[in-house]
Amino acid sequence: MRKSIHIMLLILCLPVLLAAQTSLPHTNKAARLYHNGDLFVARNEIEYAILSDVENDHAYTWYVRGFIYKEIYKKIEKQSKLSENREIAVESIKKSLQLDRTGKYLENNQKGIEYLATTYYNDAVLLVESVTEDDYGRPLISYDNYKSTTRIIQPFEDFSRSDLEFYRMMASAIEEIYLFGAQENPDLLAVAQDFYAQALRIKQDDYTSNYNMAINYYNRGVFLIKGIGYKTEIFELMLIQDECLKLFKESLPFMTKAHQLRPERKETLYGLMAINRALNDYEKSDFYLGKIERLIKEGVIKE
Amino acid sequence: MMALLGFLSNDVESTQQLDDADTEALFKAKYLYEFAVTSDWPRESKTGPFIVAIYGSSNLFLEMSDRYATKPVGSQKMEIIQVLNLEDLPPCQMLYMSRRTAKELPLVLKHLQGKNTMLVTHIEGPAKPGATINFVIQESKICFEVNLKEARKRKIVIGSKLIQWAIKS
């Protein structure tokens, strides 16, 4: 899995929480405790604050609460992908933004949300990298949290580019699980296909998704054929052929599209040769073989 | 400062590997095995190993060797050999010749004259004299046709199961 690391720096200023409000005694106390580093005592105090009708209705109370929980998450729960403190931080800052009619806490609230959204995003990336056969739902949850958290401050954010990349990476990660140890579970390939299909709904001309989708269908067919053994009955052989042909036929338009997008890429030429051969179309298969040989001879592609 | 890790932020060629198995060879290997176990050869062919000779397809030879060599055919054990030169063709119960060697059919038939060898070919079009079984592609599917007259000539009894699945006999 080849990845490039895209670094975006987010400068997070420590918010000034000590903007004391005379009518908010619990909140003020919680803010002082926060600044002194007594995070857990601060958390208890801010919970008292939200039980008070007056304090509960103030943007400052939720702002302080959000940052206390964010800091607890940062200090003790950073490794937890299911941190409740982080969820409470997001909800609290969200509520502060709703109550903050003058925009007094807007800038810091936005920074807090940006920070928390980024942690969800990074969790999604790390979870994709370590995804297993049984828990491919976890990166999705983190990625959805990233999007919903971002939308709090950017309701019209276009996620199509990161969606595309996320779906491709999920598909690729699941295929790798299959290839490197779970070959007895071809359903994983179907799961990967669903992710490629989602990626293609975003960008029909995405080379990687088209190519990998084609390979995925093709390999599923080959997997079935490889399962043929001396105990396979002739009628089963006929059924397997029917099933494989369906998969190979599904594969062909995706590989053709990938080839149109990058006509000189040898992998697509090999792919078209293999798919046509699997469809027992020898003329077309030989055509692509001839093309590969010619391009190798001309030095356009390497052997 | 918080770093945002990226997914595949550029147009990356993160592509999967094509399974390079020869699908045609895998299917044909199974067919040849079925042709062997469901047909019956005369008594004189039932001693020693049951030899399947493959001419013109290394992949088929490898698949047959990998999956079906030493499997029983009646009381005989299946043995797979690759024929590189027709002059060296040993006595065998079955000979497969690939599509690419079709033009050598007359020479093959000369070698098989008077022998109880099942000749399996893959020749397109109507003329394939001498072949007991011929592979054909029908709607992209590998099927086979049986020539019962040729089988009788070589004293081979084709099993009813094969005749049932053959596209014409």
Side-chain angles (χ1 to χ4, degrees):
Chain A
M1 205 183 336
R2 214 184 97 189
K3 289 180 294 296
S4 56
I5 304 297
H6 183 196
I7 306 289
M8 192 177 93
L9 300 178
L10 177 67
I11 299 165
L12 187 72
C13 302
L14 277 176
V16 180
L17 295 184
L18 290 170
Q21 303 280 334
T22 49
S23 58
L24 309 170
H26 289 299
T27 304
N28 289 337
K29 193 176 169 190
R32 276 195 304 277
L33 288 162
Y34 168 92
H35 271 280
N36 292 337
D38 295 330
L39 293 175
F40 294 101
V41 189
R43 181 171 68 183
N44 290 341
E45 197 59 37
I46 201 68
E47 290 306 308
Y48 282 123
I50 61 167
L51 293 175
S52 146
D53 286 346
V54 178
E55 297 197 42
N56 184 291
D57 202 30
H58 206 289
Y60 181 62
T61 303
W62 292 99
Y63 164 69
V64 171
R65 189 177 188 249
F67 278 85
I68 289 171
Y69 276 93
K70 179 182 78 67
E71 209 55 25
I72 292 172
Y73 159 72
K74 210 168 142 184
K75 292 265 160 60
I76 64 156
E77 262 194 342
K78 198 73 188 286
Q79 302 310 314
S80 167
K81 310 287 185 279
L82 302 166
S83 164
E84 276 185 30
N85 288 305
R86 177 169 50 178
E87 285 175 28
I88 296 170
V90 170
E91 287 311 309
S92 301
I93 297 175
K94 186 177 170 185
K95 184 137 187 183
S96 178
L97 283 162
Q98 286 162 354
L99 293 171
D100 185 19
R101 283 168 201 97
T102 59
K104 190 173 176 186
Y105 311 103
L106 180 66
E107 196 184 337
N108 280 333
N109 273 336
Q110 281 178 334
K111 282 176 182 163
I113 288 292
E114 273 175 36
Y115 171 84
L116 292 163
T118 305
T119 65
Y120 279 123
Y121 184 91
N122 287 345
D123 281 357
V125 175
L126 295 171
L127 284 167
V128 171
E129 286 172 355
S130 58
V131 74
T132 66
E133 199 175 340
D134 308 312
D135 72 349
Y136 51 78
R138 289 179 66 200
L140 281 173
I141 294 169
S142 285
Y143 185 67
D144 284 344
N145 283 336
Y146 155 68
K147 292 205 292 185
S148 61
T149 305
T150 303
R151 280 197 186 106
I152 294 170
I153 51 171
Q154 294 165 36
F156 304 108
E157 178 75 0
D158 178 9
F159 290 101
S160 52
R161 183 170 159 75
S162 64
D163 282 352
L164 173 70
E165 291 169 350
F166 176 72
Y167 294 139
R168 282 200 319 203
M169 189 151 163
M170 276 299 288
S172 176
I174 290 167
E175 278 177 334
E176 285 194 15
I177 298 170
Y178 168 79
L179 288 171
F180 299 108
Q183 296 212 356
E184 72 289 348
N185 187 0
D187 290 349
L188 285 172
L189 290 178
V191 174
Q193 270 181 0
D194 286 343
F195 284 110
Y196 283 131
Q198 291 191 64
L200 287 169
R201 274 198 285 276
I202 295 164
K203 189 182 174 195
Q204 227 178 335
D205 283 352
D206 182 52
Y207 172 80
T208 306
S209 301
N210 276 293
Y211 178 83
N212 285 355
M213 186 75 128
I215 295 292
N216 190 305
Y217 273 117
Y218 180 81
N219 284 354
R220 280 173 68 189
V222 175
F223 177 86
L224 291 177
I225 301 172
K226 281 180 163 176
I228 295 169
Y230 73 98
K231 285 183 178 167
T232 308
E233 296 282 343
I234 289 202
F235 78 92
E236 291 175 290
L237 192 63
M238 299 296 178
L239 294 175
I240 291 169
Q241 271 211 81
D242 288 338
E243 192 57 36
C244 291
L245 286 175
K246 255 191 246 169
L247 290 165
F248 297 144
K249 281 176 186 168
E250 295 270 17
S251 168
L252 190 58
F254 292 105
M255 191 59 84
T256 305
K257 181 82 182 174
H259 178 60
Q260 283 165 358
L261 293 165
R262 296 204 191 163
E264 302 293 288
R265 193 156 191 257
K266 78 171 174 192
E267 282 80 359
T268 58
L269 290 166
Y270 277 113
L272 287 169
M273 182 187 80
I275 297 165
N276 282 297
R277 188 187 58 199
L279 287 167
N280 299 304
D281 189 335
Y282 308 120
E283 204 177 312
K284 276 192 189 149
S285 178
D286 289 347
F287 167 78
Y288 288 109
L289 177 64
K291 199 167 174 180
I292 292 166
E293 286 169 349
R294 182 173 54 78
L295 291 173
I296 289 173
K297 212 183 231 175
E298 290 169 1
V300 180
I301 58 172
K302 282 182 187 161
E303 205 163 348
Chain B
M1 276 194 286
M2 181 74 190
L4 185 70
L5 300 176
F7 290 121
L8 308 169
S9 37
N10 298 316
D11 197 8
V12 180
E13 293 170 2
S14 171
T15 50
Q16 299 299 321
Q17 290 288 313
L18 183 100
D19 191 321
D20 60 0
D22 184 335
T23 53
E24 182 188 353
L26 282 160
F27 274 117
K28 283 184 175 173
K30 172 61 182 170
Y31 273 127
L32 294 188
Y33 174 75
E34 283 297 315
F35 298 162
V37 294
T38 55
S39 304
D40 196 29
W41 271 256
R43 189 186 297 266
E44 57 267 32
S45 298
K46 286 184 176 171
T47 54
F50 185 98
I51 296 174
V52 178
I54 308 291
Y55 183 47
S57 174
S58 298
N59 284 347
L60 181 57
F61 165 71
L62 292 172
E63 288 302 337
M64 281 298 286
S65 304
D66 186 38
R67 289 164 181 262
Y68 305 104
T70 76
K71 289 280 181 290
V73 181
S75 60
Q76 295 167 284
K77 267 192 178 172
M78 189 175 266
E79 190 179 307
I80 317 297
I81 60 165
Q82 185 170 26
V83 180
L84 299 173
N85 186 342
L86 283 175
E87 299 302 321
D88 303 330
L89 180 69
C92 55
Q93 280 79 354
M94 187 189 289
L95 170 66
Y96 169 80
M97 54 185 298
S98 70
R99 277 180 292 124
R100 294 182 199 281
T101 59
K103 60 180 185 301
E104 295 176 65
L105 183 63
L107 190 60
V108 169
L109 289 174
K110 205 172 140 194
H111 276 279
L112 297 183
Q113 209 161 17
K115 292 178 183 162
N116 305 324
T117 299
M118 176 191 277
L119 175 63
V120 183
T121 57
H122 186 155
I123 298 171
E124 305 291 341
K128 42 248 165 188
T132 321
I133 296 181
N134 184 53
F135 284 117
V136 284
I137 303 301
Q138 215 173 54
E139 292 168 354
S140 300
K141 216 166 152 177
I142 300 174
C143 303
F144 61 91
E145 50 193 9
V146 173
N147 184 338
L148 288 174
K149 198 173 147 195
E150 192 60 36
R152 272 194 295 273
K153 209 167 99 185
R154 296 188 182 276
K155 299 179 192 161
I156 300 166
V157 180
I158 305 291
S160 56
K161 216 154 69 165
L162 279 190
I163 295 169
Q164 186 192 332
W165 286 102
I167 56 165
K168 61 184 165 186
S169 50

